Amino acid sequence: MNKKIIIRTLEKIAVYMEIKGENPFKVSAFRKAAQALELDQRSLDEIENVTKLKGIGKGTGEVIADLIATGKSSVLEELQEEVPKGLIPLLKLPGMGGKKIAKLYKELGIDSAEALKQACLDHEIQKLPGFGPKSEDKILKELTDFESKPGRHPIWKTEEAVKFVEEILGAIEGISEFSVAGSYRRTKETSKDLDFIIATSDPKTVKEKLLAALPVQETIASGDTKVSVTVEFQDMIDIDFRLVAPEEFITALHHFTGSKDHNVRMRQLAKSQNKKISEYGVEQPDGSIATFTSEADFYAHFGMPFIPPSVREDGREIDRLEELPNLVALEDITADMHMHTTWSDGAHSLPEMVEAVRSKGYSYMAITDHSQYLKVANGLTPERLLQQNAEIRELNKKYSDFDILSGTEMDILPDGSLDFDDEVLGQLDFVIASIHSSFQQPRDQIMERILTAMKNPLVDMIAHPTGRIVGQRDGYDPDVEQLLDWAKEYGKIVELNASPYRLDLAVEYLEMAQEKGVPVAINTDAHAAEQLEVMAIGVKHAQKAWLKKDNVVNTWPLERLRAFIKK
DNA sequence: GCCGTTTTCGGCCCGACTGTTTTCAGTCG
């Protein structure tokens, strides 16, 4: 029995129970059991007794035993007989929960999206107690929108929307402080919507000005402290604004940064100290409300170190506080080892890029323009590469406190060969190998290509190892575990490409790399000087995988890197 | 359904907004 199947089954049971109108705590018990299983790193065989896990007891334990023994769950099968299948997707409609769906089924016999739509058109819905004309209109609208609305937005899209909103907020008088919150602040690679916290003592005026300044397509909710709108900025995107008093800003920011699981853990912790956390402050045992001037103070109030937003995810971060000081941070970064200049497809010249990197306070860098195969990117022939190499060596003489590594981002060709021969590669300081073509090849062939690069002792790093674009394409689907095993065997670095388009490797693979002891380089792959800034995003993405400073090669001094790549 | 070094029963994170009511249930994050 596959662990994933058990997790899905428990979640499915929760969904059916929700529609059946079961006790909400019972429903959440099944969700918690699924989560307990998911968060446990061990495989099913390695877990001796599942009921020993916190959150799994007699009832959920029996479901799991049933699944292992028979491959099926009698609990789920019974639920499926009682609850029509067509009701399940209705839970995804905004504003629809188990209770409303159950009522529609019981009172009107509605058992599918089609039946629901017809009932709206026949004006049957508004006759039900608890429903009215507005509910009917809303359901009909949500049913129509359901197909067309985009799901989650990739970070490279939300990034621009965030900047746009920040500009608007910065120009509104009466706002003392504001910040983006939510999954974007936690550097999740995709977000369902955007959240902003606004501190003001005049919420009414600020709200009016804000709504006037935004390209609002639809107002979802508009209360005294909370405004939810759909805004048309490139795509349609939902944005929540919370307006709070200035002294409440930090607790509100923490609350709406989440994650939900992180907040639950924090509230439980507060409760054990006879305190109560809400977005407005921390209620003390004597009833007074404490507020804070920084999130660090907020955590310190509970005797905890500051927990960066990037690691506030499944709640387990609260159990890993002693690891926080070793997490890689932006201040630890000493180098950027993947970037392009006007020699290939970059926007800035070699000296311009060098100056830009130096001004970031790093101590070394690598210039890695594309290789000849990539004609669309003006890839360098061996002649041009060696000419650039000479120029870099000359430029290096200018700096006593800074080193420029002469490198290349060399293509691994579709036929599995490398774009430069060893004689050329041997003259370089840092060699990156990348796949930019023939993504559709079968996995075996892709892996063969990667293996060629791995086996070449002159190759130092594999860049953007899966070729994915966040929210847009999956890449060339390598067997990442195998890739990492090879990297370990052949002493290669794997890249965390910090571009928000890529964030490649993804978090789960970075965790795997660290576990296997494969060093990671966080690189910007900058094609222009301003793109060097994405290092900050890359570092936060690395934090999500709990990468330690020592595992990240571009926190190392140059000598240690040289020793590792044997150059 | 799960949990317990104040508990084997009585809680389970907490508050806002909407649409329906005429004081509140349902949903959401």
Side-chain angles (χ1 to χ4, degrees):
Chain A
M1 175 53 54
N2 182 311
K3 193 171 157 187
K4 281 263 184 307
I5 293 177
I6 295 181
I7 293 166
R8 299 286 161 262
T9 306
L10 289 167
E11 282 167 349
K12 222 184 226 176
I13 290 172
V15 168
Y16 275 94
M17 283 180 166
E18 205 172 350
I19 293 179
K20 217 190 128 196
E22 279 283 7
N23 174 354
F25 294 111
K26 186 173 169 181
V27 175
S28 101
F30 276 84
R31 295 219 162 92
K32 276 182 193 157
Q35 204 189 18
L37 216 49
E38 185 145 46
L39 292 184
D40 195 290
Q41 295 298 307
R42 293 172 296 174
S43 76
L44 205 53
D45 294 337
E46 288 164 337
I47 304 173
E48 202 183 320
N49 182 357
V50 283
T51 58
K52 287 238 168 73
L53 291 182
K54 197 168 144 64
I56 299 180
K58 193 166 163 286
T60 48
E62 271 170 20
V63 170
I64 296 169
D66 199 12
L67 277 166
I68 293 173
T70 69
K72 293 184 294 191
S73 162
S74 52
V75 174
L76 178 61
E77 284 179 348
E78 275 166 37
L79 284 165
Q80 283 173 327
E81 266 173 45
E82 276 177 83
V83 180
K85 220 178 175 171
L87 293 180
I88 305 299
L90 300 185
L91 268 178
K92 290 218 174 73
L93 293 174
M96 292 293 272
K99 294 200 171 144
K100 283 190 186 173
I101 292 171
K103 197 172 204 176
L104 290 168
Y105 175 55
K106 278 189 199 124
E107 303 292 328
L108 296 175
I110 287 167
D111 60 359
S112 67
E114 293 72 43
L116 180 57
K117 190 168 185 183
Q118 195 54 52
C120 287
L121 295 171
D122 296 342
H123 301 300
E124 292 290 331
I125 306 291
Q126 53 174 296
K127 293 178 193 159
L128 279 183
F131 290 79
K134 281 193 175 173
S135 307
E136 194 173 273
D137 288 348
K138 186 167 191 291
I139 292 171
L140 200 53
K141 192 185 150 305
E142 296 296 352
L143 278 169
T144 322
D145 284 357
F146 196 63
E147 291 299 315
S148 59
K149 264 197 180 175
R152 297 185 69 85
H153 306 272
I155 189 169
W156 44 271
K157 271 190 191 169
T158 47
E159 203 182 15
E160 290 185 50
V162 167
K163 280 182 194 150
F164 172 74
V165 174
E166 282 175 342
E167 234 168 78
I168 289 174
L169 291 174
I172 295 177
E173 262 176 68
I175 295 180
S176 59
E177 217 173 342
F178 67 85
S179 171
V180 69
S183 55
Y184 180 86
R185 183 160 180 255
R186 302 199 312 275
T187 326
K188 287 284 273 188
E189 58 187 51
T190 61
S191 297
K192 192 163 81 58
D193 56 15
L194 292 177
D195 301 275
F196 286 89
I197 311 302
I198 298 167
T200 176
S201 30
D202 185 8
K204 215 173 162 191
T205 315
V206 167
K207 180 180 148 183
E208 273 169 27
K209 285 185 187 166
L210 177 62
L211 286 174
L214 285 166
V216 174
Q217 189 72 21
E218 192 195 334
T219 305
I220 302 159
S222 179
D224 295 336
T225 67
K226 180 184 167 183
V227 184
S228 294
V229 289
T230 305
V231 162
E232 185 166 12
F233 179 80
Q234 299 172 334
D235 290 340
M236 298 289 194
I237 186 161
D238 290 347
I239 310 182
D240 284 352
F241 296 95
R242 306 292 299 221
L243 300 110
V244 298
E247 66 272 17
E248 296 161 349
F249 180 71
I250 292 300
T251 40
L253 177 63
H254 175 266
H255 177 88
F256 291 104
T257 296
S259 69
K260 201 175 148 87
D261 289 334
H262 177 81
N263 287 352
V264 168
R265 283 295 303 269
M266 286 303 295
R267 281 166 185 219
Q268 287 167 342
L269 189 95
K271 210 169 168 179
S272 73
Q273 301 179 4
N274 283 319
K275 295 168 184 166
K276 199 166 80 176
I277 299 177
S278 82
E279 51 262 58
Y280 303 114
V282 179
E283 192 182 316
Q284 304 298 300
D286 66 7
S288 65
I289 307 286
T291 57
F292 307 91
T293 52
S294 72
E295 279 190 329
D297 284 349
F298 170 81
Y299 284 108
H301 182 80
F302 298 101
M304 299 165 84
F306 174 71
I307 302 178
S310 54
V311 303
R312 301 177 199 167
E313 286 297 339
D314 57 26
R316 284 182 304 168
E317 58 279 358
I318 311 260
D319 306 318
R320 300 177 73 173
L321 299 178
E322 72 286 353
E323 291 178 51
L324 288 174
N326 300 322
L327 271 197
V328 62
L330 188 56
E331 310 86 77
D332 299 327
I333 300 296
T334 55
D336 193 338
M337 291 149 62
H338 181 173
M339 72 191 69
H340 302 269
T341 72
T342 46
W343 279 79
S344 63
D345 59 349
H348 289 106
S349 70
L350 172 56
E352 281 169 339
M353 287 306 275
V354 169
E355 273 310 314
V357 174
R358 259 176 61 81
S359 72
K360 301 207 75 64
Y362 300 157
S363 58
Y364 62 101
M365 65 186 285
I367 293 288
T368 56
D369 275 305
H370 289 291
S371 62
Q372 55 192 343
Y373 177 81
L374 221 52
K375 293 201 168 55
V376 285
N378 192 24
L380 275 58
T381 59
E383 294 70 35
R384 288 181 65 219
L385 176 62
L386 294 177
Q387 193 188 335
Q388 185 194 46
N389 188 12
E391 213 163 288
I392 290 171
R393 308 244 173 260
E394 200 52 42
L395 197 55
N396 244 326
K397 290 181 187 160
K398 262 178 71 178
Y399 306 108
S400 58
D401 58 345
F402 188 79
D403 289 285
I404 311 157
L405 303 186
S406 169
T408 178
E409 183 185 14
M410 170 181 65
D411 263 69
I412 307 173
L413 308 188
D415 67 3
S417 63
L418 301 177
D419 206 7
F420 292 128
D421 57 34
D422 288 357
E423 198 218 316
V424 175
L425 295 181
Q427 301 182 52
L428 302 175
D429 301 314
F430 191 67
V431 175
I432 302 175
S434 302
I435 289 184
H436 290 116
S437 59
S438 297
F439 280 26
Q440 70 296 337
Q441 283 177 351
R443 187 182 254 202
D444 287 352
Q445 219 170 328
I446 292 285
M447 292 308 285
E448 270 308 309
R449 289 165 76 183
I450 292 170
L451 185 58
T452 313
M454 291 279 184
K455 281 183 170 168
N456 187 317
L458 296 169
V459 170
D460 303 307
M461 184 183 92
I462 306 294
H464 41 75
T466 72
R468 69 141 175 189
I469 301 292
V470 174
Q472 200 160 77
R473 73 168 191 221
D474 289 337
Y476 37 78
D477 186 35
D479 177 345
V480 179
E481 178 149 28
Q482 174 70 78
L483 187 153
L484 293 171
D485 284 335
W486 285 337
K488 179 72 188 165
E489 182 180 348
Y490 296 106
K492 305 301 182 207
I493 300 163
V494 294
E495 182 176 68
L496 158 48
N497 193 292
S499 161
Y501 285 89
R502 294 188 180 272
L503 294 175
D504 183 5
L505 294 169
V507 169
E508 57 168 318
Y509 296 133
L510 290 173
E511 286 171 346
M512 202 185 272
Q514 178 158 272
E515 221 169 278
K516 290 178 186 294
V518 177
V520 174
I522 308 173
N523 295 320
T524 63
D525 195 359
H527 284 68
E530 55 277 10
Q531 288 171 13
L532 294 168
E533 299 295 328
V534 303
M535 183 64 81
I537 298 174
V539 169
K540 286 189 250 181
H541 182 77
Q543 289 175 339
K544 298 192 89 63
W546 290 80
L547 285 197
K548 307 291 181 293
K549 179 181 165 178
D550 200 53
N551 257 88
V552 177
V553 298
N554 51 321
T555 67
W556 297 352
L558 181 56
E559 301 70 49
R560 183 169 169 195
L561 173 75
R562 283 202 165 120
F564 182 81
I565 64 177
K566 303 187 179 68
K567 281 179 189 167

